[in-house]
Amino acid sequence: MTSLQGKIALVTGASSGFGLAIARTFAAHGARVIVAARREERLQALRDELAARYGSEACAALGMDVRDRNDVRNAFAQIESTGWGAIDIVVNSAGLAAGLEAIQDGVFDNWDRMIETNLNGLLNVTRFALPGMIERGGGQIVQIGSVAGRDAYPGGNVYSATKAAVAMLTRGMRIDLMKSGVRVSNVAPGLAETEFSVVRFGGDTERAKSPYVGIDALTADDVADAVLWVVTRPAHVNIDELVIMPTAQGSANHVHRR
């Protein structure tokens, strides 16, 4: 197991869900964590929490919209200027699903939000992080994908397409970066109960509970534990893809409910 002590990790989408749990887990294992998201008030609360537990240098909060390339560029410039620039690990956790309509009823704005966040946002962050990693001869990019990138399901059309693109992009990055010492991994969770469905259903909390009825779904901490395992493998080991699902789920389309 490779230690995270003193390593600098940038986690996007850190204001909730997987990103929040990953940031907490990394900090607990000695990493210095840069938490990034659009909801800055949540980031400040997380920074204060981690500073109280692990010291004032444990966490930095960074308001950033991954969809906005100039915003990402400015955020990385800010990271450099504050002495947090030597990023060892990037976890691209910012992502969302919007709507569950059949393709013929799809909402264009929802499509744009998913493509711009799940794919373009990941590309923006990765592009600005990689040159420093390559220059230093090492680092790691972790994508938070989904089992939806392996199996389509009713109403999941565009969301599944973005996560399939993330999986293929990760494979392409692996080939491009083989000589660099930079590792790239795709962690693909199944059903996990976070704010994901609340966002998908536009804040309808009752409808958001429906995917998790009758099943012991994954938690954000389960996924954070999987990401921790991926990033603490020895330097010569790259986990290309890790699929993690509840025991009662066999695929995106097969779930046993009590």
Side-chain angles (χ1 to χ4, degrees):
M1 182 173 179
T2 301
S3 173
L4 293 186
Q5 192 68 42
K7 290 192 175 182
I8 296 177
L10 170 64
V11 182
T12 70
S15 60
S16 65
F18 298 152
L20 175 61
I22 291 164
R24 285 173 170 159
T25 298
F26 280 11
H29 284 80
R32 299 175 65 203
V33 185
I34 305 168
V35 292
R38 291 177 299 155
R39 294 179 288 187
E40 295 189 47
E41 70 286 348
R42 290 194 178 194
L43 294 183
Q44 299 300 332
L46 177 58
R47 183 190 64 181
D48 293 345
E49 172 196 324
L50 296 182
R53 289 183 180 180
Y54 308 113
S56 59
E57 295 299 310
C59 182
L62 186 66
M64 181 172 69
D65 185 345
V66 298
R67 301 171 300 179
D68 185 331
R69 191 164 296 149
N70 285 328
D71 199 29
V72 177
R73 179 183 288 109
N74 292 336
F76 271 84
Q78 183 179 340
I79 291 170
E80 291 285 349
S81 68
T82 56
W84 286 68
I87 297 171
D88 300 295
I89 302 166
V90 169
V91 181
N92 283 307
S93 184
L96 59 89
L100 198 62
E101 296 83 13
I103 194 71
Q104 67 271 19
D105 300 316
V107 178
F108 290 116
D109 285 347
N110 286 345
W111 293 356
D112 291 343
R113 286 173 63 204
M114 288 186 281
I115 293 168
E116 289 168 7
T117 305
N118 300 354
L119 187 55
N120 293 347
L122 179 153
L123 285 167
N124 290 336
V125 173
T126 300
R127 178 63 179 82
F128 285 106
L130 275 175
M133 291 183 177
I134 293 170
E135 183 179 349
R136 293 186 295 275
Q140 186 155 12
I141 306 288
V142 179
Q143 331 285 23
I144 302 300
S146 172
V147 296
R150 300 163 62 87
D151 296 299
Y153 59 92
N157 37 71
V158 174
Y159 177 71
S160 291
T162 64
K163 291 303 186 177
V166 167
M168 188 56 67
L169 176 64
T170 303
R171 296 179 191 176
M173 288 173 61
R174 281 280 291 122
I175 294 167
D176 289 345
L177 295 169
M178 284 189 303
K179 297 179 181 179
S180 69
V182 178
R183 301 187 291 176
V184 189
S185 303
N186 180 34
V187 175
L191 279 169
E193 191 164 3
T194 65
E195 291 183 13
F196 177 86
S197 286
V198 177
V199 174
R200 163 166 260 171
F201 297 124
D204 185 339
T205 55
E206 286 305 310
R207 189 180 179 195
K209 294 176 184 177
S210 60
Y212 314 111
V213 172
I215 182 174
D216 292 326
L218 298 176
T219 67
D221 287 336
D222 293 328
V223 175
D225 185 57
V227 173
L228 176 67
W229 183 80
V230 167
V231 301
T232 54
R233 296 310 86 210
H236 71 285
V237 176
N238 189 93
I239 306 301
D240 286 26
E241 184 175 36
L242 188 154
V243 179
I244 172 172
M245 291 193 285
T247 303
Q249 182 179 16
S251 75
N253 287 294
H254 296 87
V255 179
H256 173 69
R257 301 184 188 276
R258 297 186 296 273

